[in-house]
Amino acid sequence: MSGRYKAYGEYKDSGVEWLGEIPREWSVLMGKRIFSSIRKTALKDDVQLAVSQKYGVLPQSLMMLLNDSKVMLALKGTDSFRHVDQNDFVISLRSFEGGIEYSKYSGCVSPAYTVLNNVKKISHNYYKYLLKCAPFISALQSTTDSLRDGKSISYEQFGAICLPLTRLSEQNQIAAFLDHETAKIDTLIDKQQQLIELLKEKRQAVISHAVTKGLDPDVPMKDSGVEWLGEVPEHWTIKKSKYFFDFVTSGSRGWADYYSDDGPIFFRIANLTRESIDPKLISIQRVTVPHGSEGVRSKIQKNDILISITADLGSVCVADNSIYDGYVSQHISLCRPNELVKSSRWLAYCIISDSTKEQLLGVGYGGTKIQLSLEDIKEFILCFPPLDEQEFIASYLDKELLNFEKLDDIAQQQIELLKERRTALISAAVTGKIDVRDWQVPVTQTESDEVMA
């Protein structure tokens, strides 16, 4: 940590690799001397708890509200489950990679979990931080190959790891310090995440305005005749998307038999995003091209427009040199623009605009679609500017979206730096690398004014 925090006056070698040097007054005990393994049978009225690295220990009902896909309710009762008291700690395979989870709830967990209860008087809040800090997690992982063989860590493995122990008052002070400081960091992270969401909204607004209102604020407008579209430039027309394509098709099932390590790209849902009209090539599948009409029909040409028709409906990209001569899956609609389209990128921006999203969400359909047909793709209502304006709009949006991307990258970097600082601060405090015994909650200006009054 930086010089903002002072160190203890004297240190000693803990004799424990993951702890290193600790304050001279601190002691070290094996985990089994601080925590015991509890095998108490679930009580009749216990609620079933779920454990995850992201959310910690929560009632199943609350975990499901948070959309945790790993939540599974016991179908045959909880007779074999283990009781958890408030302030117990829980180890599970799912949370093991991220440390050991603290429970502020009472309830029960399945036998796949190890329940820990303190046998010494401790600050649960302090150990909540300690058992989730990076050095401890590394020490925990080094004791077992459980992540590889599919078994959860045992109490014996946990109990053999040495943990620091200091006075209860000092534990409470460290925990109070971390509560305050991590809350400040979390607030800054939230602000950056809010900024990212605002950038997404602004980005979408810029796209939608450009493709439905144009770039000239002084151009005469007219009623489009479409209620949700409103006014459009007077010299533009309204057309269905089928008039912009030579054909609209998709891949078919059965391509898995042609997967290979070499060959052309097989373009899938994973290669599309609503965040960009460029291909997302993080995860690439390649194929050996089948003979016959199927290979010809679903082959990508440069400037084709690819649209998702199942998951994340309406995600779009324009085929560039990176996917030229590739092939599409059955989940992708391959659309080939005709002579009315001078810029495929303009047309792609139209499709990811809010005006098209409105159509996906029910306007003109009578309900939210969960899958698009090729006929649906042909029925999108789009604004049609002259050819030179298509290129102008596409060029403008390319430039604007690049600026948004840069701002987004800066915000993401700030979040990562804040997370790194949070991790480092927790590790330094719980292992005694910084001395916070004299720390006090800073007095705000408002509080100071109240005191003076």
Side-chain angles (χ1 to χ4, degrees), residues 364-385:
Y365 287 112
T368 302
K369 284 278 187 176
I370 59 173
Q371 183 169 337
L372 296 177
S373 68
L374 298 183
E375 287 304 311
D376 289 333
I377 297 294
K378 297 175 184 177
E379 292 299 309
F380 290 149
I381 297 173
L382 305 176
C383 299
F384 178 55

Side-chain angles (χ1 to χ4, degrees), residues 255-267 285-290 326-327:
W255 277 87
D257 295 336
Y258 298 95
Y259 287 176
S260 67
D261 295 330
D262 302 306
I265 288 176
F266 183 60
F267 205 85
Q285 177 63 59
R286 296 190 180 276
V287 290
T288 301
V289 183
Y327 297 82

Side-chain angles (χ1 to χ4, degrees), residues 147-212:
L147 290 178
R148 185 186 66 213
D149 62 25
K151 297 178 181 178
S152 57
I153 189 171
S154 69
Y155 169 69
E156 288 72 23
Q157 289 168 314
F158 161 78
I161 299 174
C162 289
L163 305 176
L165 184 67
T166 185
R167 294 186 303 274
L168 182 60
S169 60
E170 192 169 358
Q171 294 177 33
N172 286 325
Q173 176 73 353
I174 293 171
F177 164 79
L178 288 175
D179 283 346
H180 184 272
E181 293 300 311
T182 58
K184 290 198 304 184
I185 294 173
D186 290 343
T187 297
L188 293 174
I189 290 174
D190 286 343
K191 288 182 178 179
Q192 291 299 316
Q193 290 172 334
Q194 290 169 20
L195 174 59
I196 290 172
E197 290 305 311
L198 288 173
L199 288 171
K200 287 181 180 179
E201 293 175 9
K202 177 64 175 176
R203 169 189 175 278
Q204 198 62 29
V206 168
I207 293 173
S208 297
H209 189 277
V211 299
T212 61

Side-chain angles (χ1 to χ4, degrees), residues 39 144 189 228 259 281 287 323 337 349 359 384 388 413 447:
R39 298 178 179 273
T144 177
I189 290 174
W228 48 264
Y259 287 176
L281 300 179
V287 290
I323 60 173
Y349 281 127
Q359 298 174 68
F384 178 55
D388 58 339
Q413 290 170 15
E447 291 172 337

Side-chain angles (χ1 to χ4, degrees), residues 49-58 63 68 70 88-103 109 112-116 128 130-133 136-138 140-141 144 146-147 150-153 158:
L49 302 175
V51 185
S52 75
Q53 179 182 339
K54 183 176 181 180
Y55 298 115
V57 183
L58 294 175
M63 191 72 80
D68 191 307
K70 297 178 181 178
D88 282 347
F89 289 83
V90 180
I91 309 174
S92 77
L93 177 60
R94 281 182 292 171
S95 66
F96 167 60
E97 189 174 358
I100 296 176
E101 306 297 338
Y102 164 75
S103 181
V109 293
Y113 298 83
T114 300
V115 182
L116 305 176
K128 178 184 72 176
L130 178 74
L131 298 181
K132 291 280 287 180
C133 77
F136 172 76
I137 292 172
S138 296
L140 194 66
Q141 291 173 340
T144 177
S146 61
L147 290 178
K151 297 178 181 178
S152 57
I153 189 171
F158 161 78

Side-chain angles (χ1 to χ4, degrees), residues 342-354:
K342 191 172 184 181
S343 170
S344 291
R345 295 185 70 82
W346 158 77
L347 185 51
Y349 281 127
C350 289
I351 294 171
I352 64 168
S353 69
D354 283 339

Side-chain angles (χ1 to χ4, degrees), residues 264-281:
I265 288 176
F266 183 60
F267 205 85
R268 302 174 296 170
I269 288 288
N271 304 125
L272 283 169
T273 173
R274 292 192 68 85
E275 304 303 316
S276 172
I277 61 170
D278 296 312
K280 185 175 74 172
L281 300 179

